[in-house]
Amino acid sequence: MQQKIIILDFGSQTTQLIGRRVRELDTFCEILPYNKYPVGNDDDVIGVILSGSPYSVHDPEAFKVDLSQFAGRIPVLGICYGAQFISHTLGGRVEKADSREYGRANLQTVDTTNPLFKGFDQHSQVWMSHGDTITAIPDGFHCIASTKDVKYAAYAKSYEPKANSQGVFAVQFHPEVYHTLQGKQLLKNFVVDICGSRQEWSAASFVESTVATLRFQLGNDRVILGLSGGVDSSVAAVLLNKAIGSHLTCIFVDHGMLRKNEFQQVMDDYKVLGLNVIGVDASEKFFADLAGVTEPEQKRKIIGRDFVEVFNAEAKKITDAKWLAQGTIYPDRIESLNITGKVIKSHHNVGGLPKEMHLQLCEPLKWLFKDEVRRVGRQLQMPEHLITRHPFPGPGLAVRILGDITREKVRILQDADDIYIRGLREYVDTDGETLYNKVWQAGAILLSTVRSVGVMGDERTYENPVALRAVTSTDAMTADWAHLPYDFLAKVSNEIINKVRGVNRVCYDISSKPPATIEWE
């Protein structure tokens, strides 16, 4: 039986981060909507975490859960809204704070005898983010941490051996964010010490169990996998190849808006990996259908539609196929449907299959976060340059060109982007790490709807600016602009302007997400 922590999602932006922190403790976890606790099917659940929420517990539409389903039987940790919900539900009091408590705070009194705070410093920094505050805790609970402004920064009802009752713990701060300096220690105390995790979840165990499961599930059936050249689909392909070998056929569609020379480079990589890959150059169709289209969402829809048409046409040639494999990872599935069931963001590899294909769906990475996918890739001994590839949008450079798409614009952007990405790979920072490996995602954007005046030689030019974008992130839910060295930016800017015909100005995007997005379109 595989142990797991259930994280009930009340809509917090950092719920995925809680999950990643638990996985970092070599413990499997599952993020579920607040109202989907697996009642009657929780023998493998060793603990429950209640996330934060954008709501106040007093809001009429606030999300609620029946705590009696698990509280007292399984250790529970409430975070922020989760802590306030426990207090509010069990007879405590939650009131509007005099001022919103947001940002860094220091714990002033900490009960280090409580197992949740084992190893904690007395004045440890934490991160607060709430408009309400707990002014009274339920009977039977006791305060275990305070700050200058928050009396009940943490409270608990400890384990009672004679009553065979498990503890309930609650913190009004966010241990999952890096601003809470000992947050990882707190989560380790809860997951490992209090819940009793055996810490058996690892890349090696995942590969072993998944390969065995795939062999049993797929048998001798033929499987088709759509490759993108990215980390997720590549790792999924190698994992499936290890399980079923020649019964896997991969299809790699080139829509003409990949990075410079990327199609051939990726095909060469897949050949080295021993994968059976069909490469399809469908660029003529994509450019024809995109001609004159400027609206970003329409561009995405056309590319998505055309990709499905091209992929299906190739897939139908494999008449004995019974499965369609995808590189869907856990954040894809969490993002695609929020806890109210409304679509937040459409993903190219999440959704219904064409009914006429009559294929079953196989998603071998569906429980993994991006960093776990990379660890699995290393476990499978894949080349490091494939594992560390930055995320790249499904529509490719089409969403990095403002305005309509032409081959000439793609050529300009490919050349500029190639100089930028090569520069990131070659520049070694003062700590010995390349800039490419220090950022989450990077790329160039062609501002083709803007013309910029410049001077080259003795001539006046009127050409396009290029914006460079690089962000740091852990999961792309939030991102900060990367503080790249000035000498690097100066060198790249100079090289792009001198070598890329059609560009006379280079800018650097210093917007964070939120409010900006990582991609411009």
Side-chain angles (χ1 to χ4, degrees):
M1 181 179 69
Q2 177 176 260
Q3 295 179 320
K4 67 180 174 183
I5 299 287
I6 292 292
I7 300 169
L8 294 181
D9 182 15
F10 289 84
S12 170
Q13 291 185 349
T14 60
T15 300
Q16 281 198 39
L17 192 52
I18 300 171
R20 291 186 68 254
R21 295 285 181 253
V22 173
R23 295 281 184 89
E24 287 168 3
L25 294 167
D26 299 324
T27 303
F28 182 70
C29 67
E30 188 173 351
I31 298 172
L32 298 175
Y34 69 96
N35 57 354
K36 298 295 184 182
Y37 182 79
V39 179
N41 187 29
D42 63 351
D43 291 343
D44 53 352
V45 179
I46 60 172
V48 175
I49 298 177
L50 310 184
S51 82
S53 175
Y55 291 116
S56 161
V57 294
H58 299 295
D59 289 343
E61 65 270 34
F63 299 136
K64 298 176 175 63
V65 65
D66 180 2
L67 294 174
S68 67
Q69 296 175 107
F70 44 80
R73 296 191 304 106
I74 300 169
V76 177
L77 173 63
I79 294 175
C80 195
Y81 174 90
Q84 295 172 356
F85 178 78
I86 291 171
S87 177
H88 177 71
T89 303
L90 299 183
R93 188 165 60 250
V94 177
E95 298 180 286
K96 191 82 172 173
D98 292 336
S99 61
R100 180 172 169 80
E101 295 163 344
Y102 182 84
R104 294 173 177 83
N106 290 309
L107 298 178
Q108 293 198 332
T109 58
V110 181
D111 180 4
T112 55
T113 65
N114 187 280
L116 191 67
F117 285 107
K118 185 183 76 174
F120 254 64
D121 300 330
Q122 278 298 329
H123 300 285
S124 190
Q125 177 184 291
V126 297
W127 181 265
M128 297 284 189
S129 179
H130 52 89
D132 292 346
T133 193
I134 297 168
T135 55
I137 55 178
D139 291 342
F141 287 78
H142 56 281
C143 179
I144 55 174
S146 303
T147 70
K148 179 176 178 292
D149 299 314
V150 181
K151 180 178 180 181
Y152 300 109
Y155 65 96
K157 183 175 184 179
S158 299
Y159 172 65
E160 300 173 19
K162 292 183 179 178
N164 194 28
S165 175
Q166 298 293 332
V168 177
F169 305 84
V171 296
Q172 286 202 87
F173 55 88
H174 286 270
E176 68 274 20
V177 303
Y178 73 90
H179 304 85
T180 297
L181 299 185
Q182 291 185 278
K184 290 183 179 180
Q185 178 67 41
L186 185 148
L187 290 171
K188 180 177 184 293
N189 290 342
F190 178 73
V191 171
V192 179
D193 296 346
I194 294 170
C195 297
S197 169
R198 294 189 294 265
Q199 296 185 279
E200 296 172 334
W201 174 259
S202 66
S205 67
F206 174 82
V207 170
E208 182 181 357
S209 62
T210 302
V211 167
T213 299
L214 289 171
R215 284 173 177 162
F216 176 79
Q217 177 187 27
L218 304 174
N220 292 320
D221 291 350
R222 174 74 61 185
V223 179
I224 302 171
L225 170 66
L227 287 171
S228 67
V231 180
D232 302 335
S233 66
S234 298
V235 172
V238 174
L239 197 60
L240 279 159
N241 191 53
K242 184 177 178 67
I244 61 173
S246 61
H247 292 282
L248 172 68
T249 300
C250 303
I251 299 173
F252 182 26
V253 176
D254 180 10
H255 49 38
M257 286 153 284
L258 299 172
R259 284 186 157 129
K260 187 174 182 178
N261 301 323
E262 186 172 37
F263 182 69
Q264 191 55 53
Q265 289 169 0
V266 171
M267 287 295 290
D268 291 343
D269 282 334
Y270 289 150
K271 185 176 181 180
V272 171
L273 291 170
L275 299 177
N276 175 27
V277 183
I278 299 170
V280 184
D281 181 357
S283 56
E284 289 290 345
K285 174 178 176 59
F286 283 88
F287 279 111
D289 290 349
L290 285 168
V293 177
T294 60
E295 204 279 318
E297 189 61 22
Q298 190 179 357
K299 285 196 280 188
R300 286 180 176 272
K301 288 180 178 178
I302 289 170
I303 293 170
R305 180 201 68 200
D306 284 4
F307 179 87
V308 170
E309 288 179 5
V310 173
F311 181 85
N312 288 353
E314 291 297 321
K316 286 177 181 177
K317 297 175 184 177
I318 307 169
T319 56
D320 59 341
K322 294 184 179 180
W323 296 84
L324 175 66
Q326 295 185 152
T328 312
I329 64 174
Y330 201 30
D332 292 340
R333 299 192 297 132
I334 298 170
E335 286 180 25
S336 293
L337 287 176
N338 71 9
I339 55 180
T340 62
K342 297 179 181 178
V343 173
I344 296 174
K345 178 180 178 183
S346 297
H347 288 262
H348 67 279
N349 58 348
V350 177
L353 300 175
K355 292 180 180 179
E356 69 273 12
M357 291 182 70
H358 304 293
L359 298 179
Q360 301 176 73
L361 185 61
C362 175
E363 297 173 308
L365 307 180
K366 66 181 180 180
W367 291 110
L368 300 187
F369 290 97
K370 178 72 78 174
D371 53 336
E372 293 176 311
V373 174
R374 291 194 166 105
R375 287 203 291 271
V376 168
R378 291 187 178 98
Q379 183 67 31
L380 292 166
Q381 299 182 322
M382 292 174 60
E384 191 67 16
H385 71 273
L386 269 180
I387 296 169
T388 57
R389 279 173 62 94
H390 288 173
F392 189 66
L397 299 180
V399 292
R400 294 181 179 175
I401 296 173
L402 305 191
D404 66 326
I405 308 299
T406 67
R407 283 192 179 273
E408 175 61 10
K409 290 179 181 179
V410 171
R411 191 275 306 166
I412 293 172
L413 185 54
Q414 283 178 333
D415 288 346
D417 181 80
D418 184 58
I419 291 170
Y420 181 35
I421 297 302
R422 278 194 294 105
L424 289 169
R425 289 187 182 277
E426 293 169 0
Y427 190 103
V428 179
D429 211 351
T430 53
D431 59 1
E433 187 80 58
T434 67
L435 291 180
Y436 186 87
N437 287 341
K438 294 182 78 168
V439 303
W440 167 268
Q441 189 171 353
I445 299 94
L446 181 64
L447 310 185
S448 62
T449 57
V450 177
R451 302 299 291 275
S452 169
V453 174
V455 177
M456 298 177 122
D458 295 324
E459 295 183 2
R460 179 185 179 92
T461 63
Y462 195 53
E463 295 176 337
N464 297 120
V466 161
L468 305 181
R469 179 77 156 140
V471 298
T472 57
S473 182
T474 55
D475 51 19
M477 296 297 286
T478 60
D480 194 12
W481 62 277
H483 295 223
L484 299 180
Y486 290 157
D487 63 325
F488 168 77
L489 290 172
K491 180 178 183 297
V492 167
S493 171
N494 186 61
E495 190 173 351
I496 289 174
I497 291 172
N498 285 336
K499 293 184 177 179
V500 181
R501 187 179 69 257
V503 175
N504 66 356
R505 189 179 299 269
V506 173
C507 312
Y508 187 57
D509 183 346
I510 59 170
S511 310
S512 295
K513 176 188 178 183
T517 55
I518 294 177
E519 300 296 340
W520 277 47
E521 288 194 344

